[in-house]
Amino acid sequence: MNIIVVGAGIAGLSLAIALGQSGHQVTILDAAPQLAELGAGVQMTPQALRYLFQWGLKEDLLAESIIPENLHVWDGSSGNLLGHVRIREMESQYGAPYIVVHRAVLHNILHRHAIKAGGQLLLDSNVVEYDFANGAVQLLNGKRLTADLVVAADGINSLARSQLLGNKNPGSLPTGWAAFRMTTEVSKLKADPTTSSLVDLQSRSSNFWVAPQISCMTYLIKDATLLNIVLTHRDDVNTKDLTSNECKEIVRDLFKDFEPRVQRILDLSTPKIANYPVYAVPPLPSWAHESGRFVLMGDAAHAMAFYMSMGVSIAVEDAAALAAALDLACPPGSSFSLSSEADGRGLKHALHAFETVRKPRAEAVQEASLHGGDSLHTSSKEERGVLYEALGHSHRDEIWPLEIDTGGGNFVQRCKSTGQRLGPGGITDKGTRDWCYNYDAIGAVEKYFKSSAAETLA
């Protein structure tokens, strides 16, 4: 099958790897004149790494990432340890580790493997118009490219989504949260008596301080030479045009009541600081075009808040699921032609299976992510009591609290799209981790494709 992937980000490159390894011809388009080193740290969860490992990226990823031993959760003001999550043990629990890695490092690895799998990357290729019915894209430079299928992985501000849905496109909406991001040199932290105990280069553990409406997350990146810092706050300050010094003044005021170790981390941070409002794409009416020749994936379809650290992982899940569905429609080694009515029906069914399976999964994780953020930063004294007690159980092999009626109001909920239990604390809640990390994206889409094939392909 000949496939155009629009967007050379994590979603698009992951898809190119999976498709290329199955023998599909993949052209990747990106508007950038060259791939640049962007972003800072990202966290990747086990169920996504299972697929990246299957595609042959295990050695490269483990060589250039970090597996923390624990995630320590502290009270922001007192500095008291509230609980910890045993990150290192996730590999035995879920079949792959939980890693932290610099986004640019991850991107470079994906890029290398996409090219190795046969993907053709065309930079400076800005798509300005989609012909959904005919599987074609028009470029700013005047070229028109056509394929059996066009997949848009063009990010949260997706042009493809806008053109596909028209006035039904909700766009990306503010979640009410934002995050200041910066880094600190680990050598400075090790040399400082206030922070030296936090930087254990043997365990490489992560640290997370929580308080009403604000939090500070830190983890090691770049072979443990840099500490990545994420400062969550309510998105009520317009920092778009502020200088780094002005941003630091805001940070200082926001975190003035935090314990001395956090204060010192901020003192030692690099001058570069940026604030990123957290946006999400609400549930869409559809990801695919009725022609069966176009589909959205990744942030273009379901950008989400980062409080489950699942945005990147869900994009990899999308790639694995879509490639699996397309392999069922056009098995590796077989020929494919849209002039064949059976092949055309098979492609439509593949996109139908992908959307039917992936939409509720993505929407559930979106909901869990926002619930995680809201519960970690609640101002309610009663709810913080429930949260802190839950954090005290976070290192144990048990789900707590089990019941919705915990005395903590609506702190334990049921997901609207799937009925999954949503416990307090995001990643710190074992019940939420279990259904997130035990998920089999390929198995789910294959099961649906095969169970519905007789009716759809008849």
Side-chain angles (χ1 to χ4, degrees):
M1 193 179 298
N2 184 12
I3 300 168
I4 290 173
V5 177
V6 181
I10 292 170
L13 292 175
S14 297
L15 180 62
I17 293 168
L19 292 174
Q21 291 183 357
S22 292
H24 300 285
Q25 295 180 321
V26 183
T27 301
I28 313 154
L29 307 178
D30 200 274
Q34 61 184 15
L35 296 181
E37 182 169 315
L38 299 172
V42 296
Q43 303 181 69
M44 296 201 67
T45 53
Q47 86 289 354
L49 285 185
R50 290 201 301 268
Y51 302 119
L52 294 177
F53 286 3
Q54 288 174 22
W55 300 334
L57 282 67
K58 181 176 182 177
E59 183 177 340
D60 287 347
L61 282 169
L62 293 184
E64 299 194 65
S65 64
I66 288 172
I67 304 174
E69 183 171 322
N70 293 298
L71 168 62
H72 298 294
V73 187
W74 313 86
D75 180 272
S77 178
S78 68
N80 293 333
L81 183 64
L82 300 174
H84 67 277
V85 180
R86 296 180 295 190
I87 300 290
R88 188 71 60 84
E89 296 183 7
M90 289 187 186
E91 183 170 8
S92 61
Q93 295 170 343
Y94 304 115
Y98 183 111
I99 67 170
V100 294
V101 61
H102 195 284
R103 181 179 290 271
V105 170
L106 173 61
H107 192 261
N108 287 337
I109 293 172
L110 292 171
H111 176 217
R112 292 199 305 269
H113 282 266
I115 300 304
K116 181 180 178 181
Q120 181 184 17
L121 175 60
L122 301 181
L123 297 173
D124 205 14
S125 298
N126 189 2
V127 175
V128 294
E129 188 174 356
Y130 290 82
D131 182 349
F132 300 112
N134 295 298
V137 295
Q138 185 72 36
L139 304 183
L140 182 63
N141 61 19
K143 292 182 180 179
R144 177 181 168 89
L145 303 178
T146 305
D148 298 319
L149 173 66
V150 174
V151 182
D154 57 340
I156 191 169
N157 297 314
S158 170
L159 173 68
R161 183 183 68 235
S162 177
Q163 292 190 4
L164 175 69
L165 299 178
N167 59 14
K168 294 182 180 179
N169 173 32
S172 58
L173 303 179
T175 61
W177 294 103
F180 286 100
R181 294 177 180 268
M182 64 190 86
T183 59
T184 301
E185 295 176 18
V186 169
S187 59
K188 292 182 179 179
L189 296 170
K190 286 295 293 180
D192 191 283
T194 304
T195 57
S196 59
S197 63
L198 289 173
V199 189
D200 183 343
L201 297 183
Q202 184 173 358
S203 73
R204 298 187 170 190
S205 291
S206 303
N207 291 287
F208 186 36
W209 289 264
V210 296
Q213 306 305 315
I214 52 176
S215 64
C216 173
M217 178 73 170
T218 67
Y219 53 90
L220 296 166
I221 56 173
K222 288 278 189 175
D223 198 27
T225 61
L226 289 178
L227 186 75
N228 193 61
I229 306 166
V230 183
L231 305 172
T232 289
H233 62 102
R234 280 293 181 187
D235 186 20
D236 55 1
V237 179
N238 183 2
T239 59
K240 180 180 179 182
D241 299 320
L242 298 185
T243 65
S244 291
N245 285 338
E246 288 170 328
C247 285
K248 284 215 167 187
E249 287 179 10
I250 294 173
V251 165
R252 275 290 176 205
D253 183 60
L254 284 171
F255 290 86
K256 64 181 182 295
D257 295 325
F258 267 46
E259 63 141 314
R261 293 179 298 177
V262 176
Q263 300 290 343
R264 194 61 183 142
I265 288 173
L266 299 180
D267 286 341
L268 297 173
S269 65
T270 55
K272 186 177 180 181
I273 179 174
N275 187 56
Y276 296 90
V278 180
Y279 287 81
V281 173
L284 303 177
S286 176
W287 294 2
H289 189 263
E290 60 186 8
S291 65
R293 303 193 57 187
F294 173 85
V295 68
L296 296 165
M297 68 171 291
D299 278 355
H302 49 62
M304 62 186 65
F306 55 76
Y307 298 109
M308 282 296 298
S309 301
M310 284 278 285
V312 170
S313 295
I314 285 288
V316 175
E317 281 188 28
D318 278 357
L322 182 54
L326 294 174
D327 283 349
L328 289 169
C330 178
S334 66
S335 60
F336 180 87
S337 174
L338 284 171
S339 61
S340 163
E341 185 177 345
D343 285 349
R345 288 200 307 269
L347 179 55
K348 285 184 179 181
H349 181 54
L351 297 194
H352 171 71
F354 171 72
E355 180 177 326
T356 301
V357 171
R358 293 301 299 159
K359 266 177 63 60
R361 165 67 173 175
E363 289 165 12
V365 177
Q366 283 181 308
E367 192 174 341
S369 297
L370 275 180
H371 179 67
D374 289 342
S375 60
L376 285 164
H377 300 97
T378 180
S379 295
S380 163
K381 183 177 180 180
E382 180 185 27
E383 290 183 341
R384 291 206 77 77
V386 176
L387 172 67
Y388 285 13
E389 188 168 356
L391 290 171
H393 291 255
S394 59
H395 67 287
R396 300 176 183 172
D397 190 22
E398 64 178 351
I399 297 172
W400 191 96
L402 280 171
E403 303 298 329
I404 292 178
D405 183 13
T406 63
N410 294 319
F411 230 35
V412 180
Q413 300 177 357
R414 295 290 173 187
C415 178
K416 296 174 184 175
S417 58
T418 64
Q420 297 281 2
R421 172 191 169 280
L422 303 180
I427 183 181
T428 68
D429 178 68
K430 185 181 185 300
T432 306
R433 289 200 307 271
D434 283 352
W435 68 261
C436 281
Y437 303 166
N438 277 322
Y439 184 77
D440 180 4
I442 291 178
V445 80
E446 287 181 342
K447 179 180 179 181
Y448 183 86
F449 185 102
K450 293 172 182 177
S451 66
S452 58
E455 177 181 348
T456 307
L457 300 178

